[in-house]
Amino acid sequence: METILNYLGYFFVSIGAVFLVLGAFGILRMPDFYTRIQAGTKSSTLGAMSFIFGVGLLEPAWFIKTLVIVVFIAISNPISSHALARGAYKSHHQPYLKDGVDAYKEVENQKEVKL
Amino acid sequence: MRKLIIAALLIVVAYVLIDAFAEFQFGAERQGIKDYFLEHTPTDLQVANSVTAIIVSYRGFDTLGEVTVLFLAATGISTILYRRRSKHTGLNPLRKSPEASLIVKAAVKLLFPMILILGAYVFVHGHLTPGGGFQGGAIIATGFLLLLISYRQFKVEHSVVMWVESLAGIFFVTIGIFGIIYGPNANFLENFLPVGNLNELMSGGVIGLVYVAVGFKVAAELTGVLDTLVNIRETGDNKETKE
């Protein structure tokens, strides 16, 4: 039982490490703020969650605490980057538009027409 | 050229630092005070966190001074910024930034109690785990900051903040005076409660009580400071004063 838990723990920890590294590459490679923040958030949310979950499996005494932390990250991390990205857009930070389509602006314009 | 200058400067700084620290032995025994605390905090006070034991028990008077410094800083900020508060309902009328989105508002409702619990956990377990009253209070204040930036109509009641802060301060000093009355050596802030067993929540004598007081005090002070900072009028626009 313990060895199975250990293997599962190492599995989750390595998945987390891989996703965190991929997120770092994403932040380096992406062209502008919005794409960088989505690369950073997606990978670091999954990466940190699975990393901490794996630690919880390796140390069963900490399992409940790590579950609480995982839930906290699952709520707070996407929300914070959503708020950052929305704040950047509202303060007129121009996104990098390869094809010139700004879907968010279109939605906002439709709203204004309705009102 | 500029990069070359910067690199040369960095090399000079690195040389000076390495030269200065070359003879400095890290972790070397100097005054014997480290070993004294490491030996005596688990046996005398039954406290696992030696840092907490030093801050609250051996140097409790110093901590009272630190709390006073924090109080003075908060009072100073409020005094300086009070005149620049907006008149209407405490809300900032010149704040043109759009309101926080529905997602943030919904998440804050979920996260705020969790942050409060984390802060309380940190200051209640100050003598067992890393952390303590100051850290826990700061965590609670971040919870209130979250409410302040996501709900524009949220207002901190300054009378409540003032009462919590004053009561916490009085509680701290009262514990100190109880030390004079009931303590074995009759010193201010001396431990007068049973110390209990190592690594139990109810241990360490007065340390836990002092840290609860400090936690409430720091949380109230920082929340008041944040509320004052959020509600000031933005500079460079003197419309309100001209009226």
Side-chain angles (χ1 to χ4, degrees):
Chain A
M1 187 62 197
E2 279 220 342
T3 49
I4 297 173
L5 270 185
N6 270 359
Y7 282 129
L8 267 178
Y10 285 125
F11 175 70
F12 277 110
V13 166
S14 11
I15 283 188
V18 167
F19 270 93
L20 287 174
V21 171
L22 288 178
F25 279 125
I27 291 169
L28 274 177
R29 291 287 299 160
M30 290 293 180
D32 75 335
F33 174 74
Y34 301 99
T35 45
R36 273 181 195 159
I37 204 171
Q38 69 96 9
T41 312
K42 276 181 187 168
S43 58
S44 79
T45 308
L46 181 60
M49 276 165 69
S50 88
F51 199 99
I52 291 169
F53 188 70
V55 170
L57 289 179
L58 285 174
E59 287 282 342
W62 300 348
F63 187 68
I64 295 171
K65 276 185 190 177
T66 54
L67 268 191
V68 173
I69 297 172
V70 164
V71 170
F72 193 82
I73 291 175
I75 300 169
S76 66
N77 211 352
I79 300 289
S80 64
S81 63
H82 153 77
L84 278 175
R86 189 168 175 275
Y89 192 87
K90 293 276 178 185
S91 52
H92 310 297
H93 182 81
Q94 272 302 314
Y96 168 77
L97 300 171
K98 208 172 184 181
D99 48 3
V101 178
D102 190 344
Y104 189 62
K105 199 177 200 171
E106 283 168 14
V107 174
E108 292 278 292
N109 286 344
Q110 277 176 2
K111 260 189 204 166
E112 276 171 22
V113 169
K114 270 180 195 169
L115 287 169
Chain B
M1 188 60 204
R2 220 177 130 201
K3 282 184 181 174
L4 272 179
I5 297 173
I6 291 171
L9 272 175
L10 280 178
I11 288 168
V12 170
V13 171
Y15 175 74
V16 172
L17 281 179
I18 289 167
D19 197 44
F21 282 108
E23 293 176 12
F24 198 87
Q25 287 175 313
F26 286 100
E29 185 57 43
R30 294 200 176 275
Q31 292 159 333
I33 206 162
K34 171 195 76 179
D35 286 340
Y36 178 85
F37 284 129
L38 285 180
E39 273 172 27
H40 285 249
T41 50
T43 51
D44 288 1
L45 290 165
Q46 304 286 341
V47 168
N49 186 351
S50 302
V51 176
T52 313
I54 294 170
I55 289 175
V56 178
S57 188
Y58 294 104
R59 303 188 53 137
F61 195 58
D62 191 51
T63 303
L64 187 60
E66 273 172 39
V67 171
T68 315
V69 167
L70 196 68
F71 168 72
L72 286 177
T75 317
I77 289 174
S78 303
T79 318
I80 293 168
L81 296 178
Y82 185 76
R83 287 189 184 174
R84 298 202 1 220
R85 281 176 74 84
S86 47
K87 285 172 192 164
H88 320 286
T89 67
L91 281 180
N92 189 344
L94 301 174
R95 237 170 94 186
K96 295 184 193 77
S97 52
E99 230 179 325
S101 67
L102 190 65
I103 300 172
V104 175
K105 284 184 171 177
V108 165
K109 279 182 193 163
L110 211 65
L111 288 176
F112 180 65
M114 286 168 84
I115 293 173
L116 285 196
I117 290 170
L118 176 68
Y121 176 88
V122 167
F123 70 66
V124 168
H125 288 76
H127 52 296
L128 301 175
T129 53
F134 292 95
Q135 293 87 338
I139 290 170
I140 289 176
T142 57
F144 281 103
L145 176 64
L146 208 57
L147 279 184
L148 277 171
I149 59 175
S150 50
Y151 289 89
R152 290 175 88 173
Q153 68 271 24
F154 178 74
K155 223 177 124 191
V156 174
E157 282 295 333
H158 274 268
S159 55
V160 176
V161 167
M162 197 185 73
W163 272 104
V164 170
E165 194 182 337
S166 315
L167 287 179
I170 291 168
F171 187 59
F172 194 163
V173 178
T174 313
I175 291 170
I177 292 171
F178 273 20
I180 299 179
I181 301 172
Y182 298 109
N185 300 320
N187 287 323
F188 187 62
L189 276 171
E190 195 182 347
N191 187 25
F192 60 92
L193 292 172
V195 289
N197 297 319
L198 193 66
N199 279 332
E200 278 179 10
L201 183 58
M202 293 296 172
S203 68
V206 295
I207 290 178
L209 292 177
V210 168
Y211 257 171
V212 169
V214 171
F216 271 100
K217 198 165 158 58
V218 171
E221 272 160 4
L222 290 183
T223 306
V225 168
L226 289 172
D227 183 57
T228 318
L229 284 175
V230 165
N231 283 329
I232 57 168
R233 281 179 289 125
E234 278 151 32
T235 49
D237 198 345
N238 288 327
K239 228 187 237 167
E240 217 174 357
T241 45
K242 275 177 189 166
E243 279 168 5

